[in-house]
Amino acid sequence: MRISLRSVGVAGPGRRLVVAAALTVVPPVAAQEFETPPTLRAADVLPGEALKGPHHEVADEVASDGVGLVFTIRSTFGTFVAPSRELAELRIAEVGAIAQLKELGRGEMFASGMVDSVKRKAETLQNVVEDPEGTVHEMGRGLKGLFDRGRQAAEDAGDLVQSGDAAGGGAPTLDTTVNAVDEVLGVNAARRKIARSVGADPYSSNPALQKELKRLADALVAGGMTADFAVGQVPGTSMVTRAAGLAWDLPPQDLRARNETALEGMGCDEDTIERLLDSPVFSPTLATELVEAVQDLGKLEGRPVLVALAAGARNEAEARFYRSSVRLLAVAQAEGRTLRRARGYGRALAALTGDGTLLVAVAVDLLTWQEGVKEAVESPVPGARARALWLTGQLSERARMELRARGFQVREGARRW
């Protein structure tokens, strides 16, 4: 409250001037209830070597949707709009991989095969990016929707999934599934082999990378080449190795069978398994990484709940969010936190610890104070004596203050894996 003094003059015939002090109560300016997502600079978020390379440059302005960051990467092979730091780093590394693959394709090894493969190649995935001005848009495919249903934060994840609230509503990523003809001809095996040579994911949603992998794989098969070759992994692309290289070594049907067996062993029901493995936003590689991350939690009670929530991912950014959030729970476990039972916290993942703390794992870049976040953190959690939030990124100053005021223990910048 602010008190203002102002002079009041009262005058009239036969009356002397009287000056009195009048009190005026000025109400305080109402604080903005929620934050406007900030705009950041790429140099403040990414390491210097990632900002510019021989084939790419990251736009200086980095937008935020209140949960994640949105990067624009302009490259020789197209412009990529990535709705998370992880996807931005991956796209930057894939630019280097594409450059390596183009150089490989110029060699004598592929020369004759290129001529033969052009005669029979199908104009499908290869037409997704035809010129360096093309843009691979991933805008609108970020994480903001994770907190759209904050009022349901205290509900059990199983109920949330069964109600259908955790699924649908987002555009799928690029379909990187393989076709039967290419499988028979050996093109798919060649694609995995070529991807391995540069450490890239053969099922990446990057159409420019897929275009180059398919072009070289067609040439490799058309030319009858079977010899091994190596280009050298591009730094940053070998994230696929966290799935033990299985995406390079096994055809997708074998990966699926392996993942089905693992999920059944965890107690997941048939519907959950099918929703995850049939999901257009979980590539064979990403699904394998998620399954392995859940396995790393050992015999934690309630693991199927985590898988069920992940199966409701609506875009690739959300799929990666769930995979990384599971890994974050595994980090907490590895650091000595005793996790007793997995559960959902709205659409986020959490676990009750031995001392009764609800540990919420959130793999996001920047979390600001939004309506959905407020509703989530204010929802009661029966059985929890305390609540903790671990996130891989950072909280805004306002979000940090609001969370602590509501009794949350907060850990920022937690190790991603």
Side-chain angles (χ1 to χ4, degrees):
M1 177 183 297
R2 180 163 55 90
I3 298 177
S4 175
L5 291 177
R6 59 187 177 88
S7 296
V8 179
V10 181
R15 299 171 60 185
R16 63 187 178 88
L17 181 66
V18 177
V19 179
L23 291 179
T24 302
V25 178
V26 182
V29 177
Q32 184 176 351
E33 189 174 5
F34 303 112
E35 290 187 273
T36 300
T39 298
L40 307 179
R41 295 181 63 247
D44 296 330
V45 182
L46 296 174
E49 61 271 18
L51 299 176
K52 187 174 183 179
H55 298 283
H56 84 279
E57 184 171 4
V58 180
D60 184 60
E61 188 174 285
V62 178
S64 168
D65 61 10
V67 180
L69 300 177
V70 182
F71 300 80
T72 300
I73 303 128
R74 300 184 181 92
S75 82
T76 309
F77 317 113
T79 298
F80 305 96
V81 180
S84 72
R85 176 174 173 172
E86 179 187 338
L87 274 167
E89 291 173 340
L90 183 59
R91 294 294 179 250
I92 291 167
E94 287 175 339
V95 166
I98 295 168
Q100 290 267 31
L101 292 174
K102 284 191 174 293
E103 187 63 31
L104 178 66
R106 296 187 186 100
E108 289 185 17
M109 183 178 187
F110 285 86
S112 60
M114 287 293 181
V115 174
D116 293 336
S117 68
V118 166
K119 296 177 183 178
R120 63 176 182 80
K121 73 175 182 179
E123 298 293 338
T124 53
L125 186 59
Q126 301 201 51
N127 285 337
V128 175
V129 176
E130 284 293 335
D131 62 85
E133 300 303 319
T135 300
V136 181
H137 285 287
E138 291 170 294
M139 267 295 234
R141 300 182 177 184
L143 301 176
K144 185 175 177 59
L146 289 169
F147 294 97
D148 283 349
R149 302 180 185 273
R151 294 189 188 280
Q152 297 176 321
E155 293 187 17
D156 180 79
D159 294 337
L160 184 63
V161 172
Q162 289 172 13
S163 71
D165 285 331
T173 57
L174 178 72
D175 184 3
T176 58
T177 55
V178 295
N179 62 63
V181 174
D182 279 352
E183 190 66 39
V184 172
L185 292 175
V187 174
N188 296 331
R191 181 171 67 172
R192 295 195 303 274
K193 182 178 184 180
I194 294 165
R196 184 170 198 156
S197 74
V198 292
D201 181 356
Y203 306 108
S204 169
S205 61
N206 183 338
L209 175 61
Q210 287 295 341
K211 173 184 176 180
E212 203 57 32
L213 288 174
K214 182 68 163 61
R215 185 174 74 95
L216 295 184
D218 279 343
L220 195 69
V221 172
M225 294 174 284
T226 58
D228 289 332
F229 57 90
V231 175
Q233 291 188 0
V234 177
T237 54
S238 58
M239 298 175 74
V240 67
T241 59
R242 288 197 298 275
L246 293 170
W248 294 323
D249 297 332
L250 299 177
Q253 63 269 25
D254 288 357
L255 273 181
R256 183 187 179 97
R258 179 184 181 279
N259 289 332
E260 282 180 346
T261 300
L263 292 168
E264 288 170 357
M266 298 177 204
C268 294
D269 59 54
E270 184 178 348
D271 178 66
T272 296
I273 294 173
E274 288 184 358
R275 288 198 312 115
L276 176 69
L277 300 184
D278 290 340
S279 170
V281 303
F282 271 98
S283 69
T285 306
L286 199 48
T288 302
E289 289 185 340
L290 175 75
V291 171
E292 292 200 336
V294 178
Q295 284 183 309
D296 286 343
L297 292 172
K299 297 186 181 300
L300 174 67
E301 181 185 348
R303 286 185 299 171
V305 170
L306 305 180
V307 179
L309 270 173
R314 298 171 295 189
N315 53 61
E316 183 178 1
E318 286 191 5
R320 290 179 178 275
F321 162 83
Y322 283 115
R323 180 261 276 138
S324 295
S325 294
V326 172
R327 286 176 172 168
L328 196 50
L329 289 175
V331 167
Q333 196 173 62
E335 292 185 3
R337 300 298 294 262
T338 303
L339 305 185
R340 298 295 188 195
R341 180 167 59 87
R343 59 158 295 157
Y345 189 69
R347 295 188 63 221
L349 307 184
L352 282 168
T353 68
D355 63 3
T357 298
L358 182 76
L359 194 157
V360 184
V362 181
V364 299
D365 300 322
L366 175 66
L367 189 62
T368 61
W369 191 243
Q370 305 293 316
E371 183 178 8
V373 176
K374 178 179 183 292
E375 292 174 351
V377 302
E378 289 182 349
S379 298
V381 182
R385 298 178 182 176
R387 289 184 291 178
L389 176 69
W390 282 28
L391 68 161
T392 53
Q394 303 295 320
L395 292 166
S396 68
E397 188 174 334
R398 170 75 182 279
R400 188 181 303 116
M401 177 190 71
E402 298 284 0
L403 281 161
R404 288 177 174 166
R406 288 161 175 78
F408 269 80
Q409 306 163 26
V410 175
R411 176 171 175 180
E412 301 173 66
R415 181 163 56 95
R416 286 189 281 181
W417 46 78

